Amino acid sequence: MAKTQNPLTPVLARLRRPLSLTWAGLIAERLVRAFWPVWSLLAAGAAMLMLGLQDMAPVEVVWSALMLGGLAVLAFALQGARRFRFPRRSEALARLDEALPGRPLAALADEQAIGATDPGSQALWRAHLARMAVRAAEAKAVEPDLKLSRQDPFGLRYIALLGLVVALLFGSVWRAGSVAQMVPGGGNGAALASGPTWEGWVEPPAYTGLPSLYLNDQDETLRAPVGSRITLRFYGEVGALSLAETVSQRTENIGAATDAEHRFELRQSGEMRIDGPGGRAWQVEATPDMAPMVSLSQEGAKTAFDGQMSQPFQASDDYGVTGGRAVFALDLAQVDRRYGLAVAPEPRAPIELDLPMPIAGDRAEFGETLIENLSEHPWAHLPVVLDVRVEDAIGQQGMAEPMQMTLPARRFFNPLAAAVIEQRRDLLWSRENAPRVAQVLRAVSYKPGPSLFRSEAAYLRMRVILRRLEVMTASDGLDGDERDEIAQALWDLGVLLEDGDVGDALERMRAAQERLSEAMKNDASEEEIARLMQELRDATQDYLRQKMQQAQRENPEQGDQQSAENTMQMTQQDLQDMMDRIQELMEQGRMAEAQQALEEFQQMMENMQVTQGQTGQSPGQEAMEGLADTLREQQGLSDQAFRDLQEQFNPGAQSGQSQGNEGRNGGQGRGQSHDGQQGQGGGEGGEQPGQQGEGQQDQADEQDQAGSLAERQEALRQELERQSQGLPQLGGEAGDAAREALGRAGRAMEGAEEALRNDDLADAIDNQAEAMDALREGMRNMDEAMAEQRNPGGQGEAFGEAGKQQSDPLGRNPGQGRQAGTQDDLLQGEDVYRRARELLDEIRRRSGEGARPDVELEYLKRLLERF
């Protein structure tokens, strides 16, 4: 009977290719694991040779490195040879079988042990072999495992490969040949056959960015920067070549002229010559590193409304400026030594500022702008001398011509704010002025009134600062920290008086007009004029909104019954045109006409009347009225808290401020309220002022009996929360801003309530002032949101606000009546220049990012060249 063929034999014939690939992968895996240190050392050595590191090291170091490297390669090669075992075919077959489910190759090699004579058992065995043969036919080559993490935990092989890649990119294969001439006997045979030879390099300083020069390729005239390093090497018979040079100025450690290697720095122009067979001579011209230059520019120098200074300058250097500083020194001889400046000033270091440098691009020649706000410095608006200096990489400095100027700072147009800031300057000038400063502050606050202190919080702050200053001065005199604390408090007070917390919309509008008029008289800058003009626009909008609400409350059924014969109707666009005309006159320098137009505008606004339509109030208008009532009640609580605080400082007496506060609403106020409406105690019937005062007094007594100021504040906060939840749905940015402002008002009321419970009246007044500011802002934003949603011809027109049409995509009004388009500027106000600067900085930052697409970088470059 013939022997049955092994089922594995035909399967292996079909699996010859995957089996061979698996076997080759197994061989590669064992080779890599055994010899990876060898090829890592070879790659590292080739990288160092191609980068020319042997040319920068002494010959002895190169010899030692070559010997140690060769011994290491030999040792690792022997170790790898001992560890390497050539894989057998059976091992490759076993790895291929392990990758298959059920190990079909091993199953095909098995023989049936039992049941060989049973037909049923034989049929089952043949079915099993057929199934395994199908699985074996699907076999694919197994990839080798070339991971060396366990053998090389520090990744040394990757470091060697990285060095080789860097050498291939930035080095040269030909530089590796120079090592053969350093090995004894390595290059002398060819050199002796053709005579001695030499080579040399000139390496400029790194900060210059200039490439190295190969002396063998240079002409007889050689130009190089001062400080360049020159390297010469002589090969062949010692003494056949010698060096003669007059460029290094060396006097010590010169060595012999016939040494095999020479290293020195270029210090002056002169001659360098190699004497001997194949020698050369050069006339060396040493290029000195020139000192940098800087100059200040008067054109473009300006001061923003908030005192931010912009001083342009231009700088240049032959290899690039590395940095610079601007120093402001007080010009004491030019100071007007009067009043608080009559005493000797305390020593104070000059102001030193780092000059801005280009983030990207060449620093050899550039123009930049020094931007800083020095408004809080004691030398603000005093004569100073500006010295600007720049520095290059080797420490050389260049200075601009000193500029005499007054230190740019913020200007205060409110007379009281200007007086406070002046006393702050005198206090910082010398602590000897402390008694005089206290005396002046007490004098200006002797008889306060609404025309002087529009905010109770401002008056309270001045009294607290005055008391602290007098107490500190009377004890042991002011020290430095106390002086700085008082000065910071005076600065905050001046800013509060200037920017102000003006409760009455009409009073705020008048204040804005007065400040704008004062700015025109004092030749203010364009930025200050723009800021004050924008402030007047905002105050006018608040006043118009309040006048409309007043008309609704006083005569809700007025309708259109008034005769139009003796009236003149104006729209919001007409008022906008008038203010634009005032601003245009100021920009043209026609201050007298602008002043006259401003006075006419003020008179017209005070005498204006607002007409309403006949339709009923909308939910938004009802919400506005509720918020206005909340604002009045909050003002009353603030007035009551202020009077209580005055009683703590001066029991049993009423100061001028408390008397001046009569006529404001609140717990005990009499007459007109803050917003120009009748006080709540007066009712709707239009009683006489005396009757209103009595009614409000009775109401205050009832409230005092019902609970404390803290409880009243809590009730008002809860009322605001109820009103906030019942607001109509307002979309857009204005609606979101209104809700956010009302949220801030609620948090400020909560802080005031807590302060009142802790009997901290000063903190309570500050929180109440913050709550009133947030309420006003919320009402203004809510009014804007309602105007955006209101359809033309709806509720009526309050100088064009109620019938305001939808703005165009640029945020401008589409025009009214016969006027096509709009005269509104796309950008106006104090943020224009700051925004422009931010955009320019962002363009410069993006242009310095090399990862951006070339198209975008070219576009950014064109923007920088244009602007």
Side-chain angles (χ1 to χ4, degrees), residues 620-684:
Q621 292 171 338
E622 294 178 358
M624 289 286 288
E625 286 194 4
L627 292 176
D629 294 338
T630 302
L631 177 60
R632 285 195 296 274
E633 293 177 11
Q634 181 62 76
Q635 181 65 64
L637 285 177
S638 179
D639 293 344
Q640 182 63 49
F642 178 71
R643 282 191 293 271
D644 291 348
L645 186 60
Q646 283 183 314
E647 288 294 329
Q648 292 182 3
F649 282 105
N650 191 10
Q654 283 188 339
S655 66
Q657 176 68 9
S658 64
Q659 298 172 0
N661 191 44
E662 294 180 3
R664 300 175 182 268
N665 66 340
Q668 296 176 353
R670 297 191 292 276
Q672 297 296 323
S673 65
H674 251 285
D675 55 2
Q677 309 304 319
Q678 298 292 335
Q680 289 181 346
E684 299 289 342

Side-chain angles (χ1 to χ4, degrees), residues 456 501 503 630-636 638-639 674 745 748-749 765-779:
E456 290 83 355
D501 173 24
T630 302
L631 177 60
R632 285 195 296 274
E633 293 177 11
Q634 181 62 76
Q635 181 65 64
S638 179
D639 293 344
H674 251 285
M749 287 183 179
I765 292 174
D766 289 340
N767 282 282
Q768 289 170 340
E770 182 180 352
M772 289 185 288
D773 285 341
L775 279 172
R776 294 189 188 97
E777 182 180 352
M779 294 172 65

Side-chain angles (χ1 to χ4, degrees), residues 486-506:
I486 295 295
Q488 184 61 44
L490 287 174
W491 175 264
D492 295 338
L493 175 60
V495 173
L496 177 62
L497 292 170
E498 178 73 11
D499 295 337
D501 173 24
V502 183
D504 190 1
L506 176 59

Side-chain angles (χ1 to χ4, degrees), residues 149-458:
S149 302
R150 294 183 180 180
Q151 291 81 5
D152 183 19
F154 300 104
L156 299 179
R157 63 192 186 282
Y158 294 129
I159 298 176
L161 286 175
L162 176 62
L164 182 60
V165 172
V166 172
L168 290 174
L169 292 176
F170 303 102
S172 174
V173 179
W174 305 108
R175 300 191 68 173
S178 63
V179 71
Q181 301 175 352
M182 298 182 180
V183 181
N188 288 346
L192 290 175
S194 59
T197 186
W198 58 271
E199 63 178 346
W201 301 268
V202 179
E203 302 175 19
Y207 69 86
T208 63
L210 298 177
S212 299
L213 302 177
Y214 189 55
L215 279 177
N216 300 61
D217 298 335
Q218 301 304 311
D219 298 331
E220 296 179 354
T221 302
L222 177 65
R223 293 188 61 183
V226 173
S228 299
R229 187 171 184 82
I230 301 178
T231 303
L232 288 170
R233 287 180 180 155
F234 298 157
Y235 308 113
E237 182 181 357
V238 177
L241 299 175
S242 62
L243 172 66
E245 54 88 10
T246 60
V247 298
S248 65
Q249 296 182 338
R250 293 181 294 174
T251 58
E252 298 179 356
N253 302 324
I254 299 177
T258 57
D259 288 345
E261 184 176 11
H262 298 270
R263 295 175 181 267
F264 54 90
E265 290 187 357
L266 178 62
R267 292 299 177 189
Q268 65 179 10
S269 300
E271 183 183 6
M272 185 172 62
R273 186 178 68 255
I274 298 177
D275 297 325
R280 294 272 298 276
W282 299 271
Q283 290 293 330
V284 182
E285 181 180 348
T287 306
D289 188 349
M290 306 301 295
M293 300 176 61
V294 62
S295 61
L296 296 172
S297 175
Q298 292 286 358
E299 183 177 358
K302 57 186 178 180
T303 304
F305 69 93
D306 59 349
Q308 181 171 273
M309 168 193 66
S310 298
Q311 177 59 57
F313 68 93
Q314 290 78 34
S316 61
D317 185 65
D318 43 7
Y319 299 116
V321 177
T322 59
R325 294 186 70 80
V327 180
F328 295 87
L330 180 64
D331 192 359
L332 191 58
Q334 301 297 327
V335 176
D336 186 6
R337 304 296 296 277
R338 294 188 299 170
Y339 309 116
L341 303 181
V343 300
E346 295 181 1
R348 190 174 295 273
I351 306 172
E352 295 190 8
L353 304 174
D354 291 330
L355 293 179
M357 295 288 115
I359 299 177
D362 189 13
R363 292 189 179 183
E365 185 174 359
F366 63 92
E368 271 290 346
T369 302
L370 174 64
I371 299 177
E372 190 66 32
N373 195 328
L374 303 173
S375 299
E376 298 188 40
H377 197 273
W379 298 344
H381 298 299
L382 292 181
V384 294
V385 177
L386 173 59
D387 288 329
V388 177
R389 62 189 65 189
V390 291
E391 186 174 335
D392 62 7
I394 60 175
Q396 297 183 113
Q397 290 188 351
M399 294 184 58
E401 183 178 354
M403 176 186 293
Q404 293 183 342
M405 59 187 302
T406 57
L407 188 65
R410 175 175 180 174
R411 301 179 64 182
F412 290 82
F413 299 102
N414 183 286
L416 182 57
V420 170
I421 296 301
E422 181 180 352
Q423 298 311 306
R424 172 185 179 272
R425 180 204 64 188
D426 295 346
L427 184 62
L428 291 173
W429 180 266
S430 175
R431 279 172 283 183
E432 296 180 11
N433 287 325
R436 179 183 177 276
V437 171
Q439 184 179 10
V440 173
L441 292 179
R442 182 169 291 279
V444 298
S445 61
Y446 173 61
K447 287 186 177 182
S451 61
L452 186 62
F453 289 94
R454 300 187 181 95
S455 168
E456 290 83 355

Side-chain angles (χ1 to χ4, degrees), residues 55 94 203 251 278 382 398 408 518 599 618 641 678 787 858:
D55 298 334
E203 302 175 19
T251 58
L382 292 181
E518 191 70 20
E599 293 175 357
S618 65
Q678 298 292 335
E858 288 293 334

Side-chain angles (χ1 to χ4, degrees), residues 56-220:
M56 296 183 288
V59 178
E60 294 79 5
V61 175
V62 176
W63 293 347
S64 301
L66 288 175
M67 293 177 61
L68 292 176
L71 292 176
V73 170
L74 181 60
F76 284 120
L78 293 176
Q79 182 183 5
R82 289 196 302 268
R83 294 174 55 186
F84 179 75
R85 294 290 183 271
F86 196 84
R88 297 187 297 274
R89 187 172 181 272
S90 59
E91 294 176 347
L93 184 63
R95 170 168 287 194
L96 184 63
D97 193 21
E98 290 175 357
L100 298 173
R103 303 186 65 123
L105 298 180
L108 292 174
D110 292 340
E111 295 181 357
Q112 185 176 5
I114 58 176
T117 59
D118 184 11
S121 177
Q122 291 179 359
L124 180 62
W125 178 253
R126 285 193 298 272
H128 171 65
L129 293 180
R131 186 183 305 110
M132 292 298 103
V134 172
R135 291 184 181 180
E138 299 175 354
K140 296 181 181 180
V142 181
E143 296 181 358
D145 183 9
L146 302 179
K147 298 180 180 179
L148 299 174
S149 302
R150 294 183 180 180
Q151 291 81 5
D152 183 19
F154 300 104
L156 299 179
R157 63 192 186 282
Y158 294 129
I159 298 176
L161 286 175
L162 176 62
L164 182 60
V165 172
V166 172
L168 290 174
L169 292 176
F170 303 102
S172 174
V173 179
W174 305 108
R175 300 191 68 173
S178 63
V179 71
Q181 301 175 352
M182 298 182 180
V183 181
N188 288 346
L192 290 175
S194 59
T197 186
W198 58 271
E199 63 178 346
W201 301 268
V202 179
E203 302 175 19
Y207 69 86
T208 63
L210 298 177
S212 299
L213 302 177
Y214 189 55
L215 279 177
N216 300 61
D217 298 335
Q218 301 304 311
D219 298 331
E220 296 179 354

